[in-house]
Amino acid sequence: MKYVLILFAFFLCTPTYAQVTGTVVDSTNKPLAAVSVLVKNSYLGTATNTNGEFSFSKLPNENQTLIFKSLGYKTFAYTIDAGKSAMPLHIVLERDERMIEEVVVTNRENPALRIIKQAIRHREINANKIDKYQADFYSKGIMRMEKLPKKMAKSAATTFPGLDSTGSGIIYLSETVSKISFQKPDKLYEEIVASKLSGNDQGFSFNTAIGANFDFYSNTVNLGTDIISPIADNALSYYTYKLIDIREEDGQQVYQIAVEPKRDKEPVVNGMIYIVDDSWAIYAVDFSIPGYRTQQPILDSMAILQHYTWHAPDSNWTKSLQQLRFKLGFFGIKANGSYLQNFSNYRFVDEFPKGTFGNTLAKIGKGANLKDSTYWRNARPIELTHEERTDYAFKDSIQTVRNSMAYLDSVDRAANYFSPLSPITGYTYRNSLRHYRIEYLGLKNLSRSSFNPVQGFTITAALNATLGKNEAGPETQFNHDFQYAFSEKKLRFYADYRHRFNTKHYATLGVEFGNRVIPFNEGEGVLPLVNNISTLFFKDSYIQLYQREQLKLHFTRNIGVPWRLAISAAWAKRSPLYNNSNFSLFRKDQHYVSNNPLAAEDYETAAFSTNSVFEIDAVLRWAVGQKAIDRPDALLLLSDNRYPVLTLGFKNGLNLTDDDLSYQHLYGTISQTTTLGVLGTLSGKINVGKFFSAENIPLTDYKHFAGNQTHIGTAAIYDNNFLLLPYYSHSSNNKYLQLHAEHDFKGYIFNKVPLLQELQWGLIAGYHQLATSARKPYHEFTLGIDNIGWGKYRLFRLDYVRSLEGKQQAEGFIIGIKILNFLTR
C-alpha cells in the first residue's frame, strides 16, 4: 500500500503536458511563414513553417497566453487552456497599416538617427545582459536545386533522388536538436541530442549552432565576409536611416527603422531594424545582402531574419527565431536554401564551471542519428511542411532500396561494364557492398602527362585500389603509377600504400617505393601545366629534374585536437639526369637551358653525383585555438583564423655514399590568415631554418624557395612564394629566414570611389623578404588589384612587383590566374 501511495503522489506532483497545434494566416487566408509563436513571460517558443503551421508538443496543462509576432503585422495575444484545447487554432494576423505620417515629429533632427545613436551608445550594455546562457537549440536546413544544365540534370537525378527531369527538387534536408552553452563573444559548447538527415540514417546534420551566431550587437557579423552592423560604432559612416513606424509591444514602444547603405558595393545590409524605446535593445531585424557585397561569386543573395522576445521576469530581450535564406548561381546552376533556427528555454548563468568551454565545440551523442519518428514528433519545435515530410518518406524508402544487396549488385554490374575502349579511357571496378574499388586511369589521367626537355613527352597510367569508406572509419589505399618518357625511352614505376586506422585521430601508416623523376625544388617550383605551355610555345623550361629511387615509411597522427605529428624514414638513391629533347612548336633553332640549375649553359656537368641517403624527418604541427566537432564516428577539426599555426621540424640526412655529405636540418614555420573586419584580410607566414654540418651537401638537399620566372601567378594568396625571384638563386645550405605578408583590403578603398566601386575590385598590398647567410637580404614590394573578371567569374588578379637586393633592383607585372592552382591539383 505504501508503494501505491508513493506512486499516486508521484503522478499528482508530476506536471502534465498538452499538445497545441494551429495555423497562422493573414486577412486573405494566406499562410504566414516564420511567425514567432511564444508563451508569454517564458522562454518557450516555436515558429510557423512555410505553410503557416505551428505546434507545441509539450505545453503545461494550464492557462497560457500565446504571443503571435510577425514583422509587418500586428502582434496578437491569445489565451488558451492548454489542458482543454483540442481543436487546432486558427490565428489571423492583421497588417500593421499605421505608418510614421501619424507620428508628430517636433524637431528637425532625423528621428531615426537619434534612435540609432542611442542603440549604438547602449550596444555593449544590451549585449552584456545576455552574455552567458544555456538554451535549447533547433535547426532545420533545406536546399533546393532550381535549375541544372541539361547535360547535368540526368546524372544529378541519379545522385540526388527526388530531382525531376529539369534537375529541380530538394537535395538536402536535415534537422538538429541540441543543448548549447554560450558566452560572448564566441565561446560555445553544443551537445547534439538528435540529428536527422533525409535519405541517410547513418549521416549527421551540418545544422549546428556553430554557424548560427549572427549577433548584430557586434560591430561586424560574419556572413561569409564581415558585414557591418547597422548599430556598429562606425555604422553612421556606412548607412542612412529612416523611421518607418512606431508600435507598442508589451507596454514598450518599438521603432521600425529602414536601413540603407550609403555606398552599394560595401559589406553592408538593406532592410529593417526594430529598436525598443528606453532600453534601445534589438526587437527584430529583417535584412538582405546582395551576393556581390560579400565577394562570394557563387552567392546571388542572402537574407537574415531575427525575432527577439521580451521576458518580463528577467527584463531581457532574447533571440527566439532566426532564419537565413540564400540563393546560389554559377555556370548555369541555380539553387536556393534556408536555415530556420529556434532558441528556447534560456537559462542565464553568472559564471560557467571551469572546463565548460574547451577544444570541442560540438559533441554528437551516440545514437543521435537513430532517433525514431515518435521522438521527432515530440522534440521538433517547428512543424514540417508536406513537402518536407514527403522528402523524408521518399528518400528514406529509396535509401532502404539502395542499401539492399540486390540493388547494390545491379548498380555495380552496370557500372563495371568493360568496353573495348576501357584500356584507353580507363576502367573502374567496384563492390559497393564490401566497400572496395579498383580503378585504372587511362586517358582520364591526361593531367599527369607533360613535356619537359629531360623526358620529352610523358604519359602516366595509374592502377589504384581503395578498401573502406572515405568519410569514416578505417580505409586502405593502393596507388600505382606507371610513367613512360618518350625521349628518355624509360618506364618508371612508383607505388604508394597507406592505411588509415580510424577517423578519430586519423592515424595513418604508409609505405612508398619505386622510381620517380622530381624537381630539385619539389613543391616550390613552377606548375607543370604552366611549364608545358612555356616550353612548347616559348622554349622556356623552368623545371630541372633528378631521379629518385626510394623506399619510404611514414606515419601521421593527430595528438589531441590542436596537435599533429608526422614522422618518416626513407632510403633513397639520387641520380642526375640530362636533357634528351629539344622539341618545341616555335623557336626551333634555340636550345633549352641545361638540366643543371647552377649552370644553365653547361650540358655535360651534372649538378651532383649519384649518391644514396637515409633520411629521418619529424614534423610537429600546432594549430593554436583549433576546435573540433566530436562525432561518434569521427573527429572533425575546425580552424580558427584568430590564431596562428606553428610547425617545428627536424630532418637528419645520413649519406650512405659519402659521410661528408650528411647533414641535419632544423626548421619552423608560423602562419596565419586573419580577418580585420571591414579593413579586409591579413595573411602572413614566417619560415626559418638552420642546417648543421651541411657545407658539402648536394643540391638535392638544399632548402629551395618558391620563386617565379613566368610572370604568371597561380595562387589566390601569395603568402608562401616570391613573385620575381629566380628559382635557385638563393637556395641555402645554412641558415635562412623568409617572410611573407599580404593584406587584401577587400574593396575597403575602391568601394569608396564612385567609378571604381562599380568594378568591384579589391586592392592588395604585399611584402616579401628572404635572408640567407650567403647573400644580402632580398625584398619584394607588391601592389595589386584582385577580383578582376566579369559577373560571377572573377578569377584574375594583377600585381606590380618591385624587388630590391642591395643595389640591384627589378620590377615586373604578375598576372594571377587563380583557377590554375585548382586545375592542376
Side-chain angles (χ1 to χ4, degrees):
M1 184 66 179
K2 178 178 68 173
Y3 296 107
V4 173
L5 290 174
I6 293 174
L7 189 61
F8 181 69
F10 172 78
F11 281 113
L12 284 178
C13 297
T14 301
T16 56
Y17 298 94
Q19 183 175 25
V20 176
T21 62
T23 306
V24 183
V25 299
D26 65 8
S27 57
T28 66
N29 210 36
K30 177 184 176 182
L32 295 177
V35 176
S36 288
V37 186
L38 310 160
V39 179
K40 187 174 182 179
N41 289 332
S42 81
Y43 291 117
L44 185 62
T46 182
T48 60
N49 61 22
T50 55
N51 294 335
E53 301 164 336
F54 72 91
S55 173
F56 282 102
S57 60
K58 290 185 178 181
L59 201 61
N61 269 341
E62 55 191 41
N63 286 346
Q64 302 287 348
T65 299
L66 301 183
I67 306 296
F68 297 85
K69 183 169 71 174
S70 181
L71 302 183
Y73 293 85
K74 293 181 180 179
T75 298
F76 180 72
Y78 187 81
T79 301
I80 63 169
D81 185 340
K84 297 180 180 179
S85 179
M87 296 294 293
L89 302 179
H90 186 74
I91 305 299
V92 179
L93 296 187
E94 297 180 6
R95 278 275 182 188
D96 194 350
E97 303 292 350
R98 191 172 69 89
M99 304 301 286
I100 192 59
E101 284 77 11
E102 302 176 35
V103 180
V104 178
V105 179
T106 58
N107 103 32
R108 294 182 179 180
E109 182 187 11
N110 179 354
L113 199 58
R114 175 186 63 81
I115 297 164
I116 289 295
K117 287 180 178 178
Q118 289 284 12
I120 294 173
R121 190 172 297 119
H122 290 80
R123 181 176 62 84
E124 289 190 12
I125 296 173
N126 285 317
N128 291 335
K129 287 181 180 179
I130 50 173
D131 64 338
K132 302 182 190 74
Y133 63 82
Q134 295 175 315
D136 293 343
F137 175 78
Y138 167 81
S139 177
K140 177 175 65 179
I142 186 169
M143 188 167 178
R144 297 177 181 86
M145 192 66 68
E146 295 180 19
K147 179 184 176 183
L148 280 174
K150 289 183 179 180
K151 292 183 179 180
M152 295 178 61
K154 185 176 181 180
S155 60
T158 303
T159 307
F160 300 101
L163 296 187
D164 61 21
S165 59
T166 66
S168 61
I170 295 177
I171 59 173
Y172 175 81
L173 173 62
S174 183
E175 297 174 276
T176 296
V177 173
S178 61
K179 296 182 180 297
I180 60 174
S181 299
F182 183 78
Q183 179 175 317
K184 289 190 176 183
D186 53 18
K187 289 184 178 180
L188 173 70
Y189 177 71
E190 180 179 12
E191 182 183 351
I192 296 176
V193 180
S195 177
K196 186 175 179 63
L197 185 61
S198 182
N200 185 0
D201 60 8
Q202 299 300 309
F204 295 95
S205 169
F206 291 103
N207 309 346
T208 69
I210 295 171
N213 183 26
F214 304 128
D215 184 6
F216 286 94
Y217 284 120
S218 301
N219 280 319
T220 59
V221 179
N222 191 286
L223 293 170
T225 191
D226 280 346
I227 301 294
I228 301 163
S229 168
I231 58 170
D233 290 337
N234 58 346
L236 301 184
S237 300
Y238 290 90
Y239 292 102
T240 61
Y241 306 90
K242 181 181 179 181
L243 182 59
I244 300 298
D245 190 15
I246 301 175
R247 61 199 299 178
E248 186 171 306
E249 295 288 343
D250 287 315
Q252 303 179 75
Q253 281 192 330
V254 177
Y255 302 105
Q256 179 185 354
I257 298 173
V259 175
E260 292 292 334
K262 288 185 175 180
R263 294 168 292 274
D264 179 53
K265 298 301 188 295
E266 294 189 306
V268 289
V269 300
N270 296 74
M272 300 288 175
I273 186 169
Y274 297 74
I275 300 295
V276 182
D277 192 21
D278 289 337
S279 67
W280 314 109
I282 296 176
Y283 169 84
V285 304
D286 189 3
F287 296 141
S288 63
I289 310 105
Y292 56 78
R293 290 187 192 159
T294 69
Q295 294 194 358
Q296 299 178 81
I298 196 173
L299 183 66
D300 284 338
S301 64
M302 183 185 299
I304 184 166
L305 172 72
Q306 292 179 340
H307 288 178
Y308 282 73
T309 302
W310 173 247
H311 188 253
D314 293 335
S315 300
N316 279 335
W317 288 94
T318 55
K319 183 165 57 180
S320 59
L321 174 70
Q322 180 169 275
Q323 185 182 47
L324 184 70
R325 306 185 308 276
F326 53 89
K327 291 186 176 182
L328 309 174
F330 206 67
F331 289 128
I333 300 171
K334 292 287 185 181
N336 69 73
S338 69
Y339 287 94
L340 188 59
Q341 295 154 345
N342 186 77
F343 300 80
S344 62
N345 292 326
Y346 280 87
R347 299 165 302 279
F348 290 94
V349 298
D350 294 326
E351 291 294 336
F352 280 103
K354 187 176 181 181
T356 299
F357 306 107
N359 293 329
T360 301
L361 283 182
K363 183 176 179 62
I364 303 178
K366 188 176 182 180
N369 59 342
L370 302 178
K371 304 293 186 182
D372 59 19
S373 58
T374 302
Y375 170 85
W376 281 102
R377 278 197 303 271
N378 293 325
R380 181 185 290 126
I382 299 175
E383 281 289 288
L384 295 178
T385 65
H386 174 73
E387 179 191 33
E388 292 161 351
R389 288 193 294 269
T390 301
D391 188 76
Y392 272 133
F394 173 71
K395 289 182 180 174
D396 289 348
S397 64
I398 289 290
Q399 179 194 221
T400 302
V401 173
R402 288 191 166 190
N403 286 341
S404 68
M405 182 182 299
Y407 178 84
L408 294 175
D409 285 344
S410 66
V411 170
D412 286 347
R413 279 196 301 270
N416 293 342
Y417 173 72
F418 187 88
S419 76
L421 294 178
S422 292
I424 300 173
T425 60
Y427 175 74
T428 299
Y429 178 86
R430 66 184 183 186
N431 187 310
S432 301
L433 192 63
R434 298 184 179 180
H435 304 294
Y436 72 82
R437 184 182 73 240
I438 301 173
E439 183 178 33
Y440 161 70
L441 299 180
L443 292 180
K444 290 191 297 184
N445 210 26
L446 280 176
S447 62
R448 302 275 303 276
S449 301
S450 64
F451 174 84
N452 61 74
V454 172
Q455 298 176 285
F457 287 98
T458 69
I459 59 171
T460 302
L463 183 63
N464 305 327
T466 302
L467 177 62
K469 297 180 180 180
N470 176 262
E471 61 274 11
E475 183 188 46
T476 304
Q477 294 182 349
F478 304 91
N479 301 315
H480 309 84
D481 284 353
F482 303 84
Q483 184 190 69
Y484 184 75
F486 286 91
S487 295
E488 270 190 307
K489 299 179 181 179
K490 188 175 181 65
L491 177 67
R492 291 182 173 88
F493 167 77
Y494 197 78
D496 182 359
Y497 303 159
R498 60 188 63 201
H499 176 73
R500 184 188 67 202
F501 293 91
N502 56 57
T503 45
K504 277 295 188 178
H505 47 68
Y506 289 88
T508 303
L509 178 66
V511 57
E512 302 175 28
F513 59 91
N515 185 352
R516 298 193 294 167
V517 167
I518 60 175
F520 286 88
N521 58 347
E522 184 180 18
E524 306 287 3
V526 63
L527 291 176
L529 177 61
V530 175
N531 196 69
N532 289 345
I533 297 172
S534 67
T535 53
L536 294 174
F537 289 89
F538 305 102
K539 213 155 192 178
D540 292 325
S541 180
Y542 300 108
I543 290 181
Q544 279 78 37
L545 307 164
Y546 71 95
Q547 179 174 277
R548 181 180 174 97
E549 302 169 73
Q550 76 168 2
L551 171 63
K552 181 178 181 179
L553 296 173
H554 53 86
F555 177 77
T556 59
R557 188 188 192 279
N558 292 337
I559 306 173
V561 172
W563 301 90
R564 184 168 181 82
L565 175 67
I567 55 176
S568 65
W571 170 89
K573 179 182 178 181
R574 291 90 60 92
S575 306
L577 298 172
Y578 302 87
N579 285 358
N580 290 288
S581 174
N582 198 47
F583 176 82
S584 70
L585 297 175
F586 305 99
R587 301 182 179 180
K588 296 181 180 292
D589 295 335
Q590 296 183 13
H591 290 277
Y592 289 109
V593 298
S594 77
N595 193 48
N596 184 342
L598 304 179
E601 303 298 325
D602 189 343
Y603 296 89
E604 297 182 358
T605 305
F608 69 99
S609 300
T610 300
N611 65 90
S612 298
V613 66
F614 181 71
E615 300 168 335
I616 297 177
D617 201 356
V619 180
L620 183 64
R621 179 180 181 270
W622 179 23
V624 182
Q626 187 173 61
K627 307 296 182 183
I629 299 176
D630 189 356
R631 296 185 354 183
D633 61 344
L635 193 68
L636 307 181
L637 300 181
L638 309 172
S639 60
D640 189 335
N641 63 11
R642 296 173 305 165
Y643 303 103
V645 176
L646 295 84
T647 60
L648 179 64
F650 179 78
K651 185 173 185 178
N652 183 52
L654 176 63
N655 199 286
L656 304 176
T657 303
D658 185 346
D659 189 56
D660 286 342
L661 306 183
S662 299
Y663 70 97
Q664 296 82 42
H665 181 199
L666 181 66
Y667 54 95
T669 301
I670 302 175
S671 62
Q672 185 175 5
T673 298
T674 187
T675 301
L676 302 177
V678 297
L679 295 177
T681 302
L682 176 64
S683 302
K685 179 176 287 188
I686 300 173
N687 177 240
V688 297
K690 176 72 169 71
F691 284 85
F692 302 92
S693 305
E695 294 81 5
N696 302 314
I697 63 173
L699 187 64
T700 52
D701 297 321
Y702 274 56
K703 170 64 179 178
H704 304 289
F705 305 97
N708 187 10
Q709 294 173 251
T710 67
H711 295 280
I712 299 295
T714 60
I717 301 174
Y718 300 135
D719 63 350
N720 191 46
N721 55 297
F722 299 91
L723 303 182
L724 296 181
L725 181 75
Y727 294 111
Y728 298 101
S729 62
H730 289 67
S731 298
S732 176
N733 65 341
N734 202 326
K735 56 186 177 180
Y736 59 87
L737 179 148
Q738 61 175 326
L739 183 151
H740 303 275
E742 183 173 280
H743 186 78
D744 185 349
F745 289 92
K746 294 284 186 183
Y748 176 73
I749 295 176
F750 286 169
N751 284 343
K752 293 176 173 56
V753 182
L755 293 179
L756 285 178
Q757 67 173 303
E758 298 302 319
L759 298 173
Q760 300 179 45
W761 288 350
L763 182 66
I764 297 181
Y767 172 68
H768 310 268
Q769 182 193 105
L770 175 59
T772 64
S773 57
R775 303 185 62 140
K776 292 183 178 180
Y778 173 84
H779 308 268
E780 284 183 355
F781 302 88
T782 68
L783 195 63
I785 299 173
D786 194 19
N787 213 38
I788 300 175
W790 59 95
K792 292 177 175 293
Y793 310 104
R794 299 182 172 272
L795 308 175
F796 306 98
R797 62 178 283 183
L798 178 66
D799 289 85
Y800 169 74
V801 187
R802 189 167 186 86
S803 67
L804 300 173
E805 185 177 10
K807 296 182 179 180
Q808 297 181 9
Q809 301 183 25
E811 61 182 354
F813 287 92
I814 300 295
I815 301 172
I817 309 175
K818 291 177 277 190
I819 197 172
L820 282 178
N821 196 40
F822 173 78
L823 291 176
T824 53
R825 286 180 182 177

